[in-house]
Amino acid sequence: MLLTACGTAEPGPEARPAMWMVADADTKIYILGTMHAVPRGTDWDAGRVTSAIEAADELMMELSPAELAAAGETFRQLAQRDAPLAIEARLSGKALTGFRALEASGRSFGEDGLDDWAVMVLMGQRVAQNAGLSSADGVETGLTEKFEAAGKPIGGFETAREQLMLFETLDLQTQRILLTRAAEEAGDAVKEVGALTAAWGRGDVAALETVINEDIDSVPAARKAILTDRNRRWSAWVKRRMERPGTVLMAVGAGHLVGADGVPAMVEAEGLTVMRVQ
């Protein structure tokens, strides 16, 4: 979910991510599934996305630009352990081997002084880098540039602290399970991220749902905190926002938009009509 990596002018792949629309007589909300980091130079903003960007009066993302800028410092504040704990005391066997191999692909994670969830986040960033993904080319970065250039307002559903506290407040057993799974699967992670990115680029929501479910279904506490509860809050926001006129582009991680507890399904369950428009 937290993928970061820098851009290039080289032409990149074409992506047509899934997008939905909720509309009534005087209000339209486009709901676009994003990837926070994508292959460098990816062309993701053509097709119906261009029309949605031009039509929208405002942009809503998981984090506003100011909160995104604050995320690094907030991470450093929350990630620290009260007392150091060696990774060998947390992982063993295949998990420890996978962790060490991933760490060897770049600088040390400094994991002894970090909470389990924070180590997992840094591992995810390293996988993204190794997969050639770029946050500078990510959807949120591009949308921010376009809306700021047009002088249109940009809002966020959460603060950086609220978002990271979703991990910080997970019980220690759940954090350890997530870290162990990430380490055990580190050897295949670049390939899996590539498959996830390709499915996003095709707008293949069935494939996305399969990948998301395989990744998190075995950890119910994490699914509830990181996906389901947030989707419910965002769906409630859509319903309230439909009471005011205007056109909004809502852009959140594609994993939040698939399946029975994805935002489109939850909005539809509230009695609103949701149309897939890309």
Side-chain angles (χ1 to χ4, degrees):
M1 298 168 109
L2 300 170
L3 301 178
T4 62
C6 59
T8 176
E10 293 296 321
E14 181 180 282
R16 295 295 174 263
M19 184 169 67
W20 293 259
M21 183 177 69
V22 187
D24 60 20
D26 59 3
T27 308
K28 289 182 181 178
I29 300 179
Y30 292 94
I31 306 174
L32 174 65
T34 72
M35 288 281 286
H36 307 319
V38 299
R40 293 173 176 84
T42 297
D43 171 21
W44 54 264
D45 57 347
R48 292 296 300 274
V49 175
T50 295
S51 301
I53 292 171
E54 293 174 349
D57 306 312
E58 61 179 303
L59 171 65
M60 282 294 294
M61 302 189 295
E62 295 180 33
L63 298 179
S64 70
E67 288 296 330
L68 184 59
E73 178 58 31
T74 304
F75 175 85
R76 285 186 285 273
Q77 293 171 3
L78 294 177
Q80 302 300 314
R81 287 184 56 85
D82 293 333
L85 182 65
I87 198 67
E88 289 83 1
R90 312 188 211 189
L91 302 175
S92 61
K94 181 182 178 181
L96 182 59
T97 300
F99 174 85
R100 288 301 187 196
L102 181 61
E103 186 176 46
S105 67
R107 294 189 300 174
S108 169
F109 293 128
E111 64 276 358
D112 289 4
L114 301 177
D115 290 333
D116 285 6
W117 71 265
V119 178
M120 181 189 66
V121 168
L122 294 180
M123 291 173 65
Q125 293 178 345
R126 180 68 56 80
V127 169
Q129 292 168 356
N130 292 349
L133 303 187
S134 164
S135 60
D137 292 57
V139 177
E140 286 82 358
T141 300
L143 289 174
T144 296
E145 292 172 352
K146 293 176 185 298
F147 276 74
E148 286 182 342
K152 298 178 181 180
I154 304 173
F157 290 110
E158 301 165 334
T159 66
R161 183 177 182 81
E162 288 170 341
Q163 194 170 86
L164 291 172
M165 284 297 288
L166 296 169
F167 295 93
E168 172 75 3
T169 54
L170 289 173
D171 65 271
L172 297 181
Q173 181 182 10
T174 298
Q175 290 190 38
R176 186 62 51 84
I177 290 171
L178 289 172
L179 174 61
T180 302
R181 282 171 55 88
E184 288 177 342
E185 298 168 3
D188 296 322
V190 167
K191 179 180 178 181
E192 291 173 356
V193 165
L196 178 69
T197 304
W200 168 79
R202 299 191 306 270
D204 188 342
V205 295
L208 285 171
E209 183 179 2
T210 297
V211 173
I212 297 298
N213 287 344
E214 288 178 350
D215 190 44
I216 202 167
D217 265 1
S218 62
V219 195
R223 183 182 186 93
K224 181 178 185 299
I226 297 168
L227 286 178
T228 308
D229 288 351
R230 297 166 79 200
N231 294 353
R232 188 172 289 112
R233 290 194 292 270
W234 299 347
S235 301
W237 178 89
V238 170
K239 186 176 181 179
R240 292 194 303 272
R241 182 60 184 80
M242 290 299 295
E243 298 172 0
R244 294 188 287 120
T247 301
V248 182
L249 176 57
M250 173 181 171
V252 298
H256 292 281
L257 306 184
V258 300
D261 60 354
V263 173
M266 286 186 172
V267 169
E268 198 162 46
E270 291 286 343
L272 299 174
T273 300
V274 181
M275 298 178 290
R276 175 86 180 265
V277 295
Q278 177 168 289

